[in-house]
Amino acid sequence: MIPPSFEYVRPGSVEEAVSALASSGDDAKVMAGGQSLIPLLRLRLSYPEVVVDVGRIEALRGVRDEGDHLVIGAMTTHDEVLRDPLVRTHCGLIAEATETVADPAVRHRGTFGGALAHADPAGDLPAVALALDAGFVIEGPGGRRTVPASEFFLDYLQTVLGPDELLVEVRVPKLGAGWGYRYEKFHRVAQSWAIVGVAAVVQRSNGSIASARIGLTNMGATPLRASATEQALAGADLGSIGDAAGHAADGTSPASDLNGAADYRQHLARVLTGRAVTAAARA
Amino acid sequence: MVQVSVTVDGQRRTDEVEPRLLLVHYLRERLGKVGTPVGCDTSNCGACTVHLDGKSVKSCSVLAVQADGSEITTIEGLADGEWHPMQTAFKECHALQCGYCTPGMIMAAVDLLNNNPDPSEDEIRAGLEGNLCRCTGYHNIVKAVQSAASQPASVGGVQ
Amino acid sequence: MTETVERPARENAVGQPLRRKEDARLVTGRTNWTDNIVLPGMLHMAVLRSPMAHARITRVDVSPALARPGVVAAYSGADLGDANGSIPCVWPVTDDIVMPPHRCLATDEVRYVGDAVAVVIAGNRYEAADALEAIEVDYEPLPPVLEMPAALQDDSPLVHSESGTNKCYTWEFAGGDYEAAKAKADRVFTRHYVNQRLIPMAMEPRAVVANPTGPGGEITLWSATQIPHVLRLLLALVTGIPENRIRVIAPDVGGGFGSKLQLYREEVLAVVIANRLGRPLKWTESRSENAQVTHHGRDQLQEIELAVTNEGKILGLRVDLTANMGAYLHIITPGVPILGAFMFNSIYKMEGYSFSCTGVFTNTTPTDAYRGAGRPEATFAIERIMDDLAAELGVDPIELRRRNWIKHEEFPYTTISGLEYDSGNYEAATERALELLGYDELRREQQERRDRNDPVQLGIGVSTFTEMCGLAPSRLLGSLKYVAGGWEHATVRVLATGAVEVVTGSTPHGQGHVTAWSQIAADALGVDVDAVQVIHGDTGTSPYGMDTYGSRSLVVGGMAVVAAAERVVEKAKLVAAHLLEADPGDLEYKDGAFSVKGSPGSSKTIQEVAFEAFTAHNLPDGVEPTLQANSTIDPATFSYPHGTHLCAIDIDTETGMAKIRKYVCVDDIGKVVNPMIVEGQIHGGLAQGIAQALYEEVVYDAEGNLVTGSLVDYLVPAAPDLPSFVTDRTETPSTTNPLGVKGVGEAGTIASTPAVVNAVVDALRPFGVDDIRMACTPERVWRAINDAKSRGGERVAEGTVAYGGATTDSTAGGAS
């Protein structure tokens, strides 16, 4: 199918991008890699008047080390992220989850920041960002602000990003020694989106679990933390993972759709949390 | 209209295009590069896969304007005088039937070996996850990629 | 690189795994898909489609579209008037079948989401897509009926109100005496299965280019079709354009699987409108349109009953089908389930068989042939019930089949449905398959896993199938009320230079006809494979043909090539005898040359004879110039490939995920022309059959919107979702054709679906599970294990319609 007409702007800097967005108002759409936006345009599910292509802004690209954090530029492609030595060393969960995003050709174009800002609850990276306590650096006409992952996602495909704001980079705390991680994605065929995904990071201490953070993919309109399981795991021994995972779906109200009814999703969340935490604790 | 300058299969081109023009339509309808077909609207099938600056992309999910300044290789430019070993392997291993997915599948497979010259069967299957084939059941496509990987210069038989 | 095929010296080409002649173009992108075609002044068509499953059209106004940039014309159905023809159905299976009109553009009511309402013609496809949005249509919603049982209720809304019923037909058939067999039986075992609706999803969407400025005043239609010859005839009937002024060309066609065995509205519209405008016109289908309006397949509710002895000996079989036609009848919509009627009894002996099928209209996309067309449905039902019966009786499923199948020494064998199976060896194929799978070892492992309550359970599924292919003896088609024959045509010419042309009416779309026909003709003529050129797919150059479907090409079309080549040799022999001053009866023909028996010194090659036939300077009296011959073959019977397919599957009982561990098939398709191509056909067939078992299904929402309308939601498996296959062959030659071959195009699809579902159910029998609805999704498997009330694993997502409307209650299986 054929996209509708739109005006095209390709700013060379973040400032230009922000001012382009500010002058276009609600009728503008930010395009990063375009891997979600272009299919939506082709299906005529979106009719933006202006497309602001931020994919060429060099300042938004790349991964840098800032001591206890990695900073990942929003326009770093999935492929660059999953091959990046800093990411693999310090934020292996991101590499592991990114490898499950779409397929190699899409990963060559799609971006880390684009996937997060799109905020599809079936996307893999929002739950990962949540589990890692990432910080989202946002630039708008009034300057920069940093929003924690726990506050970034508001609803289905909705974030705190204002119409004149741009996600510029994501600050991810490094996982130190003693931390393990795992992303468990459950989907029917290789190409399909996660029915449920579980991102777990676990800190071990003397053979037991000191603390754990767990992000859930597609268990609601936004990515969620499995808080009850996290609490049950704090200070627990490995033998109690199963019981703790039994609380993974507490408080969730996932959608019922073609890919799974709500009760099945809740069941999967419990099973996959058990598997993810077990793997992370043994890693 | 926006101006785009690209190099496609070694040839420089500059054109005025509508911003919404998909790269695949630019290739097919402006440049006559009809070797790259379109198979879907949702970037699932991969039939339109080309290389953009050396990496596989789905040309139905890239705007022509996004490719400005880039180098594009299509199935028509893959052979450099002689066939690419992957093309030979696809023929030798009977890795195609109707041939509609074949250009994209070959471009994806070449990209796969560029990144991983000695893949396992599972890695080959995972590396081709973005390309659908309705004819072969993938069995012989996997064999073709294995064959191309094992003998990059001259490709052997099916068994 | 040139398009050559390496031919081993001094060996027959038939039987060799020659690399395909077709591939050189396809692997380098030098292709000729219909959408590649660009003609001077060509316009583009876009089709406005109904967003509602059922509504009355109260107003269509195309004029706003005419004001949009680049628009040349726009039409509603009313605007086209008499030119708005009705798409024909050529298989009225009963005398009282209901066959409602099927206009190219709906004028009174729309009857499924996607029903065509208006068209726009513009300078390019972008302009056409934009202008489509300007057309104004007012709809008055009518209640849709989406489920077959509901559609058959007296108070149901009617898809075609003028028909007074949603029942299209009921077709009945019997062999032997089922009631008598049932009366003798120790038990009667009844099961209800669902063969879900599928989308064929050929990788190339459809496309057409109509050019009304043909050199002979004709209109030329390029179409991504399986059936250029049949299409020409039907276009002539629908449009009134004389058949001899329509030329149809199928250029490179990117897969069909039955979906391009059709006359579609867009083909008629392109011809009619291009003629009206006097300019070439192109329409290319999007994938979304393909999912919505290119015909769907399967969609049957199956009630099947076996009357058996306590030892598991089958005495009788009763089958009662409800088949979803969709909103309109397409080319052979009503006949698809009838093609399966003769196959439910499969390889088994019995005394009585009763079959009935009721076709039903619903407000859904029309159904029609999809790879296997009727036979996968039949094989699914009989092979599922054989595994279920084995479990019921506590017998190994292989053993149960052994007790019932036709033994090798019993061939030829006339089955209960009246077909004479010429040859077969079910014992040999089964033994080989068991060996390749490691059946006994896997059964042991299965028991161990059951004993230790392993969260990953192992299942082994069996499918011993046969099918009838090589459609079809014309008289038989006539007796089934099909309005055409099942013959095929070929011409073989040896040109003045000795180059050979084979003209075939079998039109390929991926099967490799060019290579296989070259092999056959090369052997028949004793020439090099490289010397043979195969011409096809163009009614201008191959005027006669019945095209490609039903695994018919080799066993019908290939035989026409053999017969025509033999006639060429016969004629050449007369010329050669004249040149050698010998009696034709004294000549022998070997490796492309005639010589006098016993005196090999003097000979004439076929090339020399061809040149003489061309110059005609020195031909014997009564022999016409040129060296060519035609043959039109009408098959005397079907061919009956068979095989044993075994699937071992791992089921993660915690998530319900099923993953094939090993898939083994041993097929018997008789003699083989090109084993490489044959293996490829099997692989692809397996993928589609497995996809039906595990991944693919069409789902509508309660309003009749197609929920699985893109490749995001309709799950065509990719490489990681399928295993490598273990394939082997036994070879029991067919006795009904000179090459001893049988068809292979559909075998893998027909056999594999029940093998996989049987494996899933086998893994779960200890949980009390005796059926899982297809596709066997993780959720259905999980529910089957965990919810005793849902032991069939039925699940319809809230607000959606699946299983053709089969409900949980009516689909619960079990012995009666």
Side-chain angles (χ1 to χ4, degrees):
Chain A
M1 289 173 81
I2 311 294
S5 286
F6 50 78
E7 212 179 295
Y8 175 79
V9 187
R10 190 161 69 209
S13 69
V14 173
E15 295 71 33
E16 279 177 40
V18 168
S19 81
L21 288 172
S23 64
S24 314
D26 285 347
D27 301 324
K29 194 89 192 150
V30 176
M31 180 166 71
Q35 298 303 284
S36 295
L37 180 60
I38 293 172
L40 287 175
L41 293 171
R42 292 183 70 196
L43 296 171
R44 299 209 170 193
L45 295 172
S46 175
Y47 286 81
E49 279 187 15
V50 183
V51 167
V52 180
D53 179 359
V54 297
R56 295 282 184 98
I57 301 175
E58 272 311 306
L60 297 181
R61 204 153 182 155
V63 180
R64 63 178 194 274
D65 192 333
E66 287 197 353
D68 58 352
H69 281 70
L70 288 189
V71 180
I72 303 177
M75 290 303 102
T76 314
T77 67
H78 296 308
D79 188 63
E80 289 162 351
V81 167
L82 71 89
R83 292 174 198 286
D84 188 277
L86 288 170
V87 171
R88 297 191 84 87
T89 305
H90 301 294
C91 298
L93 178 65
I94 291 177
E96 188 173 285
T98 301
E99 217 159 348
T100 74
V101 172
D103 60 66
V106 170
R107 294 196 293 266
H108 285 144
R109 297 290 302 168
T111 65
F112 187 68
L116 292 170
H118 187 51
D120 190 321
D124 301 293
L125 298 177
V128 169
L130 209 55
L132 292 175
D133 265 343
F136 289 63
V137 182
I138 294 168
E139 185 157 331
R144 289 198 171 195
R145 59 183 178 131
T146 300
V147 176
S150 56
E151 294 169 20
F152 182 76
F153 303 99
L154 297 180
D155 204 343
Y156 180 73
L157 304 184
Q158 280 180 27
T159 68
V160 298
L161 284 166
D164 52 0
E165 286 186 315
L166 198 62
L167 175 64
V168 290
E169 57 194 32
V170 180
R171 300 174 59 79
V172 189
K174 290 179 181 174
L175 285 182
W179 285 83
Y181 58 84
R182 179 70 156 207
Y183 186 64
E184 283 283 339
K185 178 174 183 169
F186 189 81
H187 53 165
R188 284 183 55 202
V189 295
Q191 286 205 342
S192 56
W193 295 74
I195 297 175
V196 175
V198 176
V201 291
V202 173
Q203 185 185 28
R204 291 151 314 208
S205 173
N206 300 324
S208 62
I209 293 170
S211 66
R213 292 194 304 269
I214 299 160
L216 303 176
T217 297
N218 218 7
M219 287 297 291
T222 65
L224 300 173
R225 286 277 286 270
S227 310
T229 299
E230 292 176 1
Q231 282 159 22
L233 286 172
D237 59 42
L238 299 182
S240 57
I241 290 174
D243 289 343
H247 296 286
D250 289 6
T252 63
S253 49
S256 284
D257 60 25
L258 199 60
N259 297 307
D263 65 331
Y264 179 60
R265 281 205 160 90
Q266 290 180 321
H267 167 76
L268 283 178
R270 293 187 283 267
V271 171
L272 300 176
T273 297
R275 291 179 183 183
V277 171
T278 302
R282 284 183 186 151
Chain B
M1 289 291 190
V2 189
Q3 194 177 67
V4 290
S5 293
V6 289
T7 302
V8 179
D9 294 337
Q11 291 205 307
R12 292 265 306 159
R13 280 284 299 222
T14 299
D15 284 287
E16 295 279 322
V17 300
E18 269 194 280
R20 62 168 167 164
L21 182 67
L22 301 173
L23 177 60
V24 71
H25 287 148
Y26 174 69
L27 293 172
R28 289 178 58 80
E29 293 176 4
R30 293 290 279 275
L31 308 191
K33 291 275 179 187
V34 293
T36 301
V38 184
C40 75
D41 321 309
T42 49
S43 87
N44 287 85
C45 84
C48 64
T49 304
V50 300
H51 291 182
L52 185 66
D53 294 327
K55 290 175 179 170
S56 63
V57 302
K58 294 178 172 181
S59 62
C60 76
S61 298
V62 178
L63 301 175
V65 290
Q66 286 178 292
D68 185 30
S70 296
E71 198 159 309
I72 296 158
T73 306
T74 77
I75 188 71
E76 296 174 59
L78 184 64
D80 182 16
E82 296 210 339
W83 280 10
H84 188 281
M86 193 64 75
Q87 292 171 308
T88 309
F90 265 60
K91 178 178 176 178
E92 284 299 313
C93 297
H94 189 35
L96 64 150
Q97 290 178 30
C98 82
Y100 200 77
C101 77
T102 305
M105 197 67 81
I106 287 177
M107 298 310 282
V110 169
D111 183 80
L112 165 65
L113 291 193
N114 285 346
N115 289 312
N116 181 359
D118 186 23
S120 66
E121 179 181 336
D122 284 348
E123 287 170 335
I124 291 170
R125 288 182 179 274
L128 298 177
E129 68 184 327
N131 294 72
L132 297 177
C133 171
R134 198 60 160 160
C135 295
T136 65
Y138 306 102
H139 184 106
N140 286 345
I141 291 174
V142 172
K143 284 194 166 180
V145 179
Q146 286 170 330
S147 169
S150 66
Q151 295 167 306
S154 64
V155 172
V158 184
Q159 307 296 327
Chain C
M1 243 330 157
T2 52
E3 296 194 11
T4 59
V5 168
E6 301 80 3
R7 183 190 172 199
R10 300 300 305 132
E11 270 193 273
N12 276 343
V14 169
Q16 301 296 328
L18 299 189
R19 302 306 183 257
R20 299 200 317 173
K21 289 183 169 189
E22 290 88 337
D23 292 352
R25 290 187 307 104
L26 297 174
V27 300
T28 54
R30 286 180 291 128
T31 42
N32 193 24
W33 312 114
T34 301
D35 188 51
N36 294 4
I37 295 168
V38 176
L39 297 173
M42 189 173 76
L43 300 169
H44 290 258
M45 179 169 79
V47 182
L48 184 70
R49 301 187 183 279
S50 170
M52 312 186 88
H54 197 193
R56 190 166 293 119
I57 301 170
T58 55
R59 187 180 71 101
V60 185
D61 184 1
V62 299
S63 59
L66 293 170
R68 293 294 185 99
V71 174
V72 172
Y75 304 101
S76 67
D79 296 334
L80 288 179
D82 290 345
N84 186 28
S86 184
I87 301 298
C89 166
V90 304
W91 202 341
V93 294
T94 60
D95 290 333
D96 59 352
I97 185 171
V98 173
M99 301 185 80
H102 181 186
R103 297 281 161 208
C104 290
L105 295 176
T107 49
D108 53 347
E109 289 180 13
V110 287
R111 296 184 174 86
Y112 68 100
V113 174
D115 211 348
V117 176
V119 292
V120 159
I121 315 298
N124 65 52
R125 68 176 92 217
Y126 281 59
E127 291 169 341
D130 291 346
L132 214 53
E133 297 184 335
I135 297 177
E136 294 173 8
V137 185
D138 291 341
Y139 296 103
E140 189 179 292
L142 296 169
V145 56
L146 305 167
E147 309 184 344
M148 288 187 274
L152 291 173
Q153 299 289 320
D154 286 342
D155 57 349
S156 170
L158 295 174
V159 178
H160 297 274
S161 50
E162 73 282 3
S163 303
T165 176
N166 289 322
K167 191 176 103 170
C168 176
Y169 68 89
T170 295
W171 189 91
E172 289 170 333
F173 173 75
D177 186 340
Y178 174 70
E179 289 305 323
K182 187 176 173 183
K184 286 201 302 190
D186 294 323
R187 54 171 89 193
V188 175
F189 189 69
T190 310
R191 303 286 286 149
H192 295 84
Y193 301 120
V194 178
N195 220 284
Q196 83 273 33
R197 179 179 280 243
L198 300 172
I199 301 176
M201 212 62 101
M203 290 314 299
E204 182 204 20
R206 290 184 294 125
V208 296
V209 174
N211 182 12
T213 59
E218 73 270 51
I219 183 156
T220 302
L221 182 77
W222 287 265
S223 183
T225 181
Q226 297 172 225
I227 54 163
H229 300 90
V230 176
L231 187 56
R232 177 168 80 152
L233 169 64
L234 295 177
L235 278 171
L237 293 174
V238 174
T239 64
I241 300 169
E243 192 181 356
N244 57 9
R245 286 176 53 193
I246 302 173
R247 177 180 178 188
V248 178
I249 301 173
D252 287 340
V253 177
F257 314 111
S259 72
K260 293 170 181 170
L261 192 194
Q262 197 55 273
L263 171 70
Y264 281 104
R265 296 163 146 181
E266 296 83 4
E267 291 167 321
V268 177
L269 290 167
V271 164
V272 165
I273 295 169
N275 254 347
R276 191 173 278 210
L277 299 174
R279 288 174 68 177
L281 182 65
K282 179 191 279 187
W283 172 77
T284 304
E285 184 182 58
S286 70
R287 178 59 61 189
S288 306
E289 285 178 295
N290 177 269
Q292 206 169 57
V293 305
T294 289
H295 73 240
H296 292 174
R298 312 275 196 270
D299 206 345
Q300 284 184 4
L301 305 181
Q302 307 179 314
E303 179 176 309
I304 179 168
E305 182 173 281
L306 286 176
V308 295
T309 68
N310 283 332
E311 290 71 45
K313 172 78 189 136
I314 300 170
L315 300 175
L317 166 67
R318 182 179 65 81
V319 173
D320 192 355
L321 300 183
T322 314
N324 201 340
M325 306 286 99
Y328 298 100
L329 299 183
H330 245 304
I331 188 167
I332 58 164
T333 301
V336 169
I338 310 308
L339 280 172
F342 308 95
M343 283 289 114
F344 280 89
N345 52 292
S346 188
I347 63 172
Y348 307 115
K349 297 179 286 189
M350 61 190 72
E351 297 168 15
Y353 173 39
S354 163
F355 174 91
S356 100
C357 174
T358 296
V360 185
F361 290 108
T362 59
N363 291 109
T364 58
T365 301
T367 63
D368 207 311
Y370 172 52
R371 200 171 192 172
R375 293 154 291 158
E377 295 91 317
T379 302
F380 178 77
I382 187 69
E383 290 305 294
R384 278 288 294 115
I385 199 171
M386 289 301 280
D387 259 37
D388 284 357
L389 177 63
E392 175 84 4
L393 298 174
V395 179
D396 181 276
I398 298 280
E399 174 55 27
L400 182 68
R401 287 167 171 84
R402 275 199 192 102
R403 290 179 192 173
N404 286 288
W405 70 36
I406 302 157
K407 294 184 173 57
H408 181 51
E409 59 272 21
E410 291 174 317
F411 288 94
Y413 184 90
T414 301
T415 70
I416 195 69
S417 56
L419 298 176
E420 187 184 271
Y421 292 0
D422 59 328
S423 69
N425 190 339
Y426 309 138
E427 296 88 341
T430 301
E431 281 313 311
R432 182 70 184 132
L434 293 173
E435 190 184 311
L436 286 170
L437 184 75
Y439 185 77
D440 295 337
E441 202 173 307
L442 283 177
R443 282 285 180 213
R444 271 195 295 279
E445 183 188 330
Q446 177 182 49
Q447 194 55 50
E448 284 162 22
R449 289 216 221 162
R450 286 177 176 176
D451 291 346
R452 65 169 186 262
N453 282 328
D454 194 309
V456 179
Q457 287 289 316
L458 173 65
I460 302 165
V462 179
S463 170
T464 53
F465 85 106
T466 189
E467 62 142 328
M468 54 187 232
C469 64
L471 299 181
S474 296
R475 282 184 185 173
L476 180 93
L477 289 176
S479 73
L480 294 172
K481 299 184 183 294
Y482 183 70
V483 300
W487 48 265
E488 194 48 88
H489 184 83
T491 301
V492 173
R493 306 182 191 117
V494 187
L495 305 179
T497 58
V500 175
E501 284 182 343
V502 172
V503 183
T504 177
S506 301
T507 302
H509 40 282
Q511 298 89 343
H513 287 48
V514 168
T515 303
W517 276 213
S518 296
Q519 291 177 256
I520 294 170
D523 278 7
L525 295 173
V527 301
D528 282 349
V529 170
D530 284 348
V532 182
Q533 183 77 15
V534 178
I535 295 166
H536 60 77
D538 179 348
T539 62
T541 55
S542 66
Y544 296 103
M546 290 302 291
D547 304 313
T548 295
Y549 44 84
S551 301
R552 69 188 303 271
S553 290
L554 179 60
V555 290
V556 189
M559 293 314 115
V561 173
V562 171
E566 284 171 352
R567 286 179 187 170
V568 163
V569 172
E570 284 307 305
K571 177 173 180 180
K573 183 182 274 187
L574 299 177
V575 178
H578 178 72
L579 297 172
L580 291 168
E581 297 178 342
D583 186 277
D586 293 336
L587 292 193
E588 65 177 0
Y589 186 62
K590 191 163 183 294
D591 291 337
F594 293 96
S595 57
V596 180
K597 287 174 197 159
S599 57
S602 60
S603 69
K604 287 285 175 191
T605 65
I606 190 91
Q607 291 84 2
E608 290 169 316
V609 172
F611 190 74
E612 287 293 342
F614 167 73
T615 63
H617 296 170
N618 184 19
L619 293 178
D621 291 341
V623 172
E624 292 179 0
T626 76
L627 186 51
Q628 60 174 321
N630 299 321
S631 171
T632 308
I633 291 275
D634 194 19
T637 180
F638 295 100
S639 82
Y640 303 96
H642 69 82
T644 298
H645 288 223
L646 301 173
C647 177
I649 206 158
D650 285 328
I651 306 278
D652 178 342
T653 57
E654 291 176 351
T655 63
M657 189 70 170
K659 187 150 181 71
I660 293 177
R661 175 159 143 190
K662 190 170 184 181
Y663 194 99
V664 168
C665 63
V666 178
D667 286 276
D668 194 323
I669 54 158
K671 292 282 187 188
V672 163
V673 172
N674 185 322
M676 178 191 79
I677 289 176
V678 158
E679 205 172 314
Q681 287 291 316
I682 297 281
H683 293 156
L686 294 178
Q688 276 173 315
I690 292 168
Q692 175 172 16
L694 296 180
Y695 304 121
E696 297 178 17
E697 67 183 308
V698 169
V699 177
Y700 288 97
D701 71 12
E703 281 77 48
N705 295 299
L706 179 64
V707 181
T708 50
S710 78
L711 290 167
V712 176
D713 294 311
Y714 189 84
L715 302 185
V716 171
D721 307 311
L722 293 169
S724 281
F725 308 113
V726 180
T727 59
D728 201 355
R729 286 189 288 109
T730 53
E731 196 170 293
T732 312
S734 169
T735 60
T736 59
N737 66 64
L739 293 184
V741 297
K742 310 172 188 176
V744 71
E746 295 160 302
T749 308
I750 291 168
S752 56
T753 308
V756 175
V757 177
N758 280 340
V760 173
V761 174
D762 183 58
L764 302 180
R765 287 201 194 273
F767 297 90
V769 173
D770 62 6
D771 193 20
I772 308 271
R773 292 278 177 264
M774 296 189 288
C776 299
T777 65
E779 182 176 7
R780 289 194 182 113
V781 170
W782 175 76
R783 285 194 193 283
I785 296 169
N786 289 287
D787 182 357
K789 281 179 292 185
S790 173
R791 62 189 182 133
E794 297 92 345
R795 183 188 73 82
V796 181
E798 209 172 336
T800 66
V801 176
Y803 323 137
T807 64
T808 302
D809 288 336
S810 73
T811 53
S816 61

